[in-house]
Amino acid sequence: MNRTLQIKLAIIVAAFLWSLWALWPTFQLASGTEGMSPDKVASLEDKSIRRGLDLAGGMYLILEVDREQLAASDMDISESEALDRVITVMRNRIDEFGVSEPDIRKEGNSRVVVQLPGLQDPERAKSLIGRTARLTFRLAREGQDFTSAVQRVDRVVASLMSGEDPADSLAADSLAVEATEETPLPEGLNAQYPFSALLGPFLYGYGGAAVSVRQRSKVDALLARTEVQRVLPRDAEFLWGTETYEGNDGSEASLLYLVEDAVSVSGKEISRAAVAPDPDNPPALMVSLELTRRGGLRFSNVTGANVGRKLAIVLDGKVHSAPNIRQKISGGRATISGGFQVDTEARDLALMLRAGALPADVKIEEERTVGPSLGADSIREGLN
């Protein structure tokens, strides 16, 4: 055998052996992962041939982005660039979620198509992709401010129930309120205190009023009415808390907060978010935040000027907690605790805060789950 042929044969053998070594993780995955540890499976998936949606199965989503919010976003960029920002945030979230080879692209001026091959937890993925994740720190109002707002709602709703002009009951407040054609008032309301009778006692330790979950729909219906919206404070709004509590009668209750509109610190000023053990409630978890230099200064100024008040931590329009400001907080650090039903909720929140908030709300227009059965046949034929 001449030397040239020997060299060719050596190259062929080396290429063949290298191919077997490179394909071995793919063969191992194809033969099944039963009995393997999660770390071992993850290592094999990282080294094996990537499978698309047609082979691995998974989820196909079409998302519609709110164009009005895109156009009105506070970023000094065009609508097209804002949509690119939506895609970037989604990609960052999905990459941390652990889906390999996701396909994310825009379609038209307001749609995003997402393909997630091999997805194992579709509900969690939809929550991560679709949540806006806008975080703000806002001061909560207690005492007379809360009571006054509740009393105004009581007087307006009581007037509507009696057929009177709501403006008459609020003449002393110099508020012009007109009755509007809306859905009927909820049934079973107290004639004199139709709103406050739905609320439980104000819990000063928590910063809100307890409301039985059975009464939440009535409270929401009253607060949504135009007449009620016109008499509420213009610089504050009622928001629900995320946690539920067990009342004396065994029923669940939520907390209703009155929160100022002014944002003390926003999620844009977060430089780092991580999950850590909650020292006040072991073995629960909390989300530890580090703020930018500018955010840390604002946080320090706000907490220093409002010692004794409660600072509501608001995520996507819901209050996660409203801790009391005991002293000026310097150093640019904050925590979010409470409201996490399972550990994954805290981890997902930290993930979304790291990836950033979406500049506009999104909703799922179309959703399809693709099974891997056809892909399995193709993989089997390819292996053979």
Side-chain angles (χ1 to χ4, degrees):
M1 185 180 297
N2 60 48
R3 184 169 179 78
T4 302
L5 189 59
Q6 287 178 335
I7 293 174
K8 289 182 179 179
L9 184 60
I11 292 174
I12 291 172
V13 171
F16 177 72
L17 292 176
W18 178 84
S19 300
L20 286 179
W21 175 80
L23 288 171
W24 182 241
T26 302
F27 281 106
Q28 284 185 293
L29 274 181
S31 62
T33 58
E34 187 176 352
M36 293 186 186
S37 67
D39 291 340
K40 176 66 172 177
V41 174
S43 175
L44 291 176
E45 289 177 342
D46 187 54
K47 297 175 182 177
S48 64
I49 295 174
R50 303 292 187 188
R51 302 176 186 177
L53 196 66
D54 54 342
L55 294 179
M59 177 169 283
Y60 175 91
L61 299 170
I62 296 180
L63 305 171
E64 182 75 27
V65 185
D66 190 319
R67 294 191 64 183
E68 291 184 2
Q69 290 186 2
L70 275 183
S73 64
D74 56 0
M75 298 182 296
D76 188 20
I77 56 179
S78 66
E79 186 174 316
S80 176
E81 290 173 321
L83 188 58
D84 290 336
R85 168 65 178 165
V86 170
I87 293 175
T88 299
V89 172
M90 286 185 179
R91 189 177 300 279
N92 290 339
R93 293 180 182 182
I94 291 169
D95 286 346
E96 289 207 42
F97 184 59
V99 177
S100 61
E101 301 296 326
D103 182 12
I104 308 171
R105 61 184 185 275
K106 60 182 175 182
E107 185 179 86
N109 296 324
S110 61
R111 286 193 167 191
V112 177
V113 177
V114 180
Q115 295 186 45
L116 304 175
L119 185 66
Q120 301 297 321
D121 192 345
E123 292 303 320
R124 185 181 173 201
K126 284 192 294 183
S127 174
L128 281 174
I129 293 171
R131 285 181 64 183
T132 310
R134 291 197 187 99
L135 178 71
T136 56
F137 292 82
R138 296 152 61 181
L139 291 167
R141 292 186 178 177
E142 303 181 88
Q144 184 57 40
D145 288 334
F146 191 96
T147 302
S148 176
V150 170
Q151 289 174 345
R152 288 189 174 191
V153 178
D154 268 338
R155 294 200 293 270
V156 168
V157 178
S159 297
L160 293 173
M161 293 174 64
S162 64
E164 299 176 4
D165 185 348
D168 294 338
S169 65
L170 293 167
D173 298 318
S174 300
L175 292 172
V177 182
E178 297 179 359
T180 58
E181 292 292 333
E182 300 200 34
T183 55
L185 291 167
E187 296 181 357
L189 297 177
N190 183 288
Q192 188 175 2
Y193 305 107
F195 184 65
S196 57
L198 300 174
L199 312 182
F202 190 94
L203 305 177
Y204 283 94
Y206 296 90
V211 181
S212 170
V213 293
R214 295 193 298 265
Q215 306 287 12
R216 277 192 59 162
S217 60
K218 293 182 179 180
V219 172
D220 286 332
L222 294 181
L223 291 178
R225 295 188 68 89
T226 304
E227 304 95 337
V228 171
Q229 287 293 317
R230 289 173 179 169
V231 301
L232 291 178
R234 295 186 179 181
D235 58 349
E237 62 178 328
F238 283 108
L239 294 179
W240 290 108
T242 57
E243 293 185 274
T244 57
Y245 304 86
E246 185 174 340
N248 295 330
D249 58 354
S251 64
E252 285 188 322
S254 301
L255 287 183
L256 184 67
Y257 297 86
L258 183 62
V259 179
E260 293 186 358
D261 291 337
V263 174
S264 301
V265 179
S266 74
K268 295 178 183 178
E269 292 159 323
I270 293 173
S271 60
R272 181 177 176 273
V275 176
D278 187 347
D280 296 327
N281 187 26
L285 297 177
M286 67 181 186
V287 177
S288 175
L289 307 176
E290 289 186 12
L291 304 175
T292 63
R293 183 175 180 275
R294 177 172 175 270
L297 288 174
R298 291 187 61 182
F299 197 70
S300 176
N301 292 336
V302 169
T303 54
N306 293 279
V307 173
R309 295 188 62 182
K310 293 194 177 296
L311 188 65
I313 302 171
V314 182
L315 179 67
D316 289 342
K318 295 182 178 180
V319 179
H320 260 266
S321 60
N324 196 56
I325 302 174
R326 295 189 178 91
Q327 61 184 5
K328 181 178 180 178
I329 303 174
S330 304
R333 294 177 182 270
T335 59
I336 303 175
S337 60
F340 302 121
Q341 301 301 320
V342 291
D343 290 352
T344 53
E345 290 187 8
R347 299 184 191 282
D348 287 350
L349 174 57
L351 184 159
M352 287 186 289
L353 294 178
R354 287 195 299 270
L358 294 174
D361 293 335
V362 299
K363 63 178 180 179
I364 298 175
E365 288 288 323
E366 183 180 340
E367 172 190 346
R368 294 203 302 268
T369 301
V370 181
S373 56
L374 294 177
D377 295 338
S378 300
I379 293 170
R380 192 179 306 109
E381 291 177 6
L383 288 173
N384 291 335

